[in-house]
């Protein structure tokens, strides 16, 4: 799996994650080999999901080897069920000391992740403040952002020119473009096999939000319902690529010419450029309705310390060393194996690979149209909105009824979290 995001799991995995840590207790841990090594110093284990870009695993292990104050072993979790294995392992004696994940308030309320305010605070002003906000609860910072991953549409300008299609700025225009671009060999658009990767953009592009600032549901609007209705039309039009060999986070469908437009992440740019040269453009998710605005999802990954681990202080020191102090490694991680935006402002401004061409355009969309994770929008809520997408778009259910049902579930989750 490529660099993913909070919303990027398939439906099955979201449901697993929605089970929560307690429910995952019955699942097996990740095998008897904990990866902990002997030798001098503390022994730490870190969990990473398997990034799809070549060289990431070797880089992560190289950084760990360079750390001299502890022996750091890396568990590289392959397959599409990273969160299931992580949540199961966190309840065992083989729990990782350090792990990557997304900001989730239930991890904080359950005491699973350590307060990292003391290591982040001295450099807080050098981080993207939206990332700081998405990791902060009651004034304490939990987690260090490693990479920001904007997600948008990629398109083939040559195909647009041939079909006399302009870059769409509204959902209606996107649907019309998909129709004109579809041929006997190429589908107009690919939005992923599950049609959930862009689900938050349906909310934002309609001028709504997941939650209000005081944690109330904010997604059940006429604009969102209209967007779902339009997407149902696209789903049944025959112009949408369905059942692609690889899902949306992999650029294969786009680079192999199966689709003229694909929803994907900035990480895929180097592979796309190698395959297609300059015949690549990008644009945000189009606006929906008169109250809407184009949107980009600013996903990414963050590093957390297991507060219930055996080596909390040693783990915090390692996280500080790698993700606070080692700017060279941070830039290498963000720009050498796919393109990501460093969350450190100074690095984002100096990263030469992001200063021109398509990557620079991605940074521009990230800044102009980007939305970040809301720490209060939990996996259970994401799973509930998965149902809205599935029942409204794939099964032709009434969007307003589906949104109302989702709102009821989200309210129940909010009551558990905030009373």
């Amino acid at each position: 799996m490529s660099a993913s995001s909070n919303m990027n799991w398939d439906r099955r995995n979201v449901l697993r994650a929605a089970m929560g840590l307690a429910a995952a207790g019955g699942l097996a841990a990740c095998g008897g080999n904990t990866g902990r090594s002997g030798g001098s110093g503390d022994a730490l284990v870190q969990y990473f999901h398997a990034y799809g870009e070549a060289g990431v695993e070797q880089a992560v292990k190289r950084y760990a080897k360079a750390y001299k104050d502890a022996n750091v072993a890396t568990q590289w979790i392959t397959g599409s069920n990273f969160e299931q294995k992580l949540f199961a392992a966190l309840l065992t004696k083989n729990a990782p000391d350090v792990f990557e994940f997304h900001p989730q308030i239930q991890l904080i309320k359950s005491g699973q992740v350590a307060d990292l305010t003391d290591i982040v605070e001295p450099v807080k002003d050098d981080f993207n403040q939206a990332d700081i906000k998405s990791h902060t609860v009651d004034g304490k910072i939990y987690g260090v952002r490693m990479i920001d991953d904007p997600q948008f549409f990629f398109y083939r300008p040559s195909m647009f020119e041939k079909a006399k299609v302009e870059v769409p700025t509204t959902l209606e225009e996107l649907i019309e473009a998909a129709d004109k671009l579809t041929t006997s060999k190429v589908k107009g658009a690919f939005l992923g096999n599950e049609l959930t990767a862009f689900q938050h953009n349906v909310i934002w592009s309609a001028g709504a939000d997941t939650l209000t600032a005081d944690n109330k549901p904010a997604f059940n609007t006429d604009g969102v319902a209209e967007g779902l209705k339009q997407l149902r039309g696209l789903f049944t039009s025959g112009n949408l690529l369905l059942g692609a060999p690889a899902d949306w986070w992999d650029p294969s469908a786009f680079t192999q010419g199966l689709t003229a437009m694909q929803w994907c992440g900035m990480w895929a740019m180097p592979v796309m450029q190698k395959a297609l040269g300059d015949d690549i453009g990008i644009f945000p998710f189009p606006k929906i309705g008169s109250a809407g605005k184009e949107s980009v999802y600013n996903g990414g990954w963050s590093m957390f310390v297991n507060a219930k681990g055996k080596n909390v202080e040693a783990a915090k020191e390692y996280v500080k060393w790698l993700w606070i102090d080692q700017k060279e490694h941070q830039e290498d991680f963000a720009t050498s194996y796919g393109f990501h935006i460093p969350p450190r402002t100074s690095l984002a401004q100096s990263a030469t690979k992001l200063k021109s061409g398509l990557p620079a355009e991605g940074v521009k969309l990230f800044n102009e149209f980007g939305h970040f994770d809301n720490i209060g929008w939990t996996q259970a809520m994401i799973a509930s909105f998965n149902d809205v997408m599935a029942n409204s778009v794939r099964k032709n259910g009434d969007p307003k009824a589906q949104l109302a049902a989702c709102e009821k579930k989200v309210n129940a989750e909010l009551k558990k979290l905030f009373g």
Side-chain angles (χ1 to χ4, degrees):
M1 183 168 62
S2 296
S4 192
S5 70
N6 202 12
M7 70 171 66
N8 299 339
W9 303 325
D10 64 30
R11 171 177 161 74
R12 176 183 57 196
N13 289 327
V14 168
L15 289 172
R16 286 173 179 155
M19 293 163 60
L21 296 178
L27 298 172
C30 296
N33 179 8
T34 68
R36 298 179 194 279
S37 58
S40 59
D42 293 298
L44 301 175
V45 172
Q46 59 179 351
Y47 268 32
F48 277 78
H49 83 284
Y51 287 68
E53 295 77 41
V56 181
E57 180 179 6
Q58 291 77 12
V60 167
K61 292 180 177 177
R62 185 170 66 249
Y63 308 150
K65 188 176 181 180
Y67 187 58
K68 303 303 181 186
D69 293 334
N71 297 311
V72 182
T74 302
Q75 290 270 2
W76 194 251
I77 309 301
T78 59
S80 59
N81 56 350
F82 171 71
E83 69 283 357
Q84 180 192 22
K85 293 178 179 178
L86 170 64
F87 284 2
L90 285 172
L91 296 173
T92 73
K93 63 180 181 180
N94 295 332
D97 303 284
V98 175
F99 60 90
E100 64 167 4
F101 203 61
H102 316 289
Q104 289 280 301
I105 197 167
Q106 67 268 34
L107 291 174
I108 297 163
K109 287 187 172 290
S110 65
Q112 186 65 64
V113 295
D115 175 9
L116 302 184
T117 306
D118 57 336
I119 66 171
V120 178
E121 183 67 33
V123 294
K124 185 174 70 173
D125 291 344
D126 190 39
F127 272 84
N128 186 313
Q129 292 306 292
D131 283 324
I132 293 295
K133 180 181 179 182
S134 67
H135 292 71
T136 300
V137 175
D138 296 333
K140 297 179 179 178
I141 303 170
Y142 299 85
V144 180
R145 194 65 151 182
M146 303 185 297
I147 48 175
D148 283 323
D149 284 326
Q151 297 160 30
F152 27 63
F153 275 104
F154 290 81
Y155 73 99
R156 297 281 298 278
S158 63
M159 292 183 178
F160 273 48
E161 183 177 357
K162 185 177 181 180
K164 296 182 170 47
V165 171
E166 299 293 326
V167 174
T169 60
T170 68
L171 187 54
E172 290 94 336
E173 292 174 356
L174 178 79
I175 293 170
E176 291 173 6
D179 182 53
K180 292 179 179 177
L181 290 161
T182 297
T183 69
S184 60
K185 296 181 178 179
V186 180
K187 291 294 186 182
F190 178 48
L191 284 76
N193 289 330
E194 298 291 332
L195 297 181
T196 55
F198 58 95
Q199 66 184 34
H200 289 173
N201 294 84
V202 176
I203 297 172
W204 296 322
S205 281
D209 208 340
T210 52
L211 300 173
T212 62
D214 59 347
N215 294 311
K216 301 288 191 303
F219 55 84
N220 185 3
T221 69
D222 290 342
V224 175
E226 179 58 28
L228 293 167
K229 185 178 178 181
Q230 291 178 330
L231 287 167
R232 170 65 184 175
L234 177 60
F235 176 71
T236 58
S237 67
N239 301 325
L240 198 61
L241 178 62
L242 301 170
D247 213 338
W248 69 276
W249 57 73
D250 186 303
S252 298
F254 189 66
T255 58
Q256 293 175 7
L258 302 179
T259 181
M261 299 182 282
Q262 178 175 334
W263 184 257
C264 195
M266 187 166 162
W267 58 81
M269 280 184 180
V271 172
M272 291 182 178
Q273 289 176 312
K274 184 177 181 180
L276 303 172
D278 295 331
D279 191 17
I280 308 168
I282 55 176
F283 62 90
F285 195 94
K287 72 174 184 177
I288 300 171
S290 58
K293 182 182 178 183
E294 296 158 280
S295 67
V296 168
Y297 176 53
N298 291 340
W301 288 91
S302 308
M303 189 55 67
F304 298 91
V305 169
N306 179 9
K308 300 178 181 178
K310 300 173 183 175
N311 301 294
V312 174
E313 290 306 314
K316 287 178 64 174
E317 285 299 315
Y318 175 63
V319 170
K320 177 181 180 297
W321 175 82
L322 180 53
W323 299 111
I324 299 289
D325 299 336
Q326 303 300 310
K327 282 192 167 185
E328 182 178 350
H329 292 336
Q330 293 159 32
E331 181 172 351
D332 179 67
F333 189 71
T335 63
S336 296
Y337 319 97
F339 291 152
H340 319 265
I341 298 177
R344 298 288 291 274
T345 303
S346 57
L347 274 179
Q349 292 175 343
S350 65
T352 55
K353 294 180 180 178
L354 305 181
K355 286 187 173 181
S356 61
L358 196 64
E361 181 66 16
V363 174
K364 182 180 177 183
L365 296 186
F366 168 86
N367 288 324
E368 186 172 353
F369 299 104
H371 293 258
F372 289 77
D373 289 324
N374 183 331
I375 197 169
W377 184 251
T378 66
Q379 294 309 132
M381 299 176 196
I382 293 170
S384 294
F385 207 84
N386 281 172
D387 290 340
V388 173
M389 297 295 290
N391 295 333
S392 299
V393 179
R394 303 181 75 95
K395 299 179 181 177
N396 200 27
D398 175 43
K400 286 297 292 182
Q402 293 301 319
L403 288 169
C406 181
E407 186 174 27
K408 185 176 181 180
K409 293 177 183 176
V410 168
N411 269 321
E413 291 298 318
L414 290 169
K415 187 172 180 59
K416 291 179 190 174
L417 291 169
F418 302 108

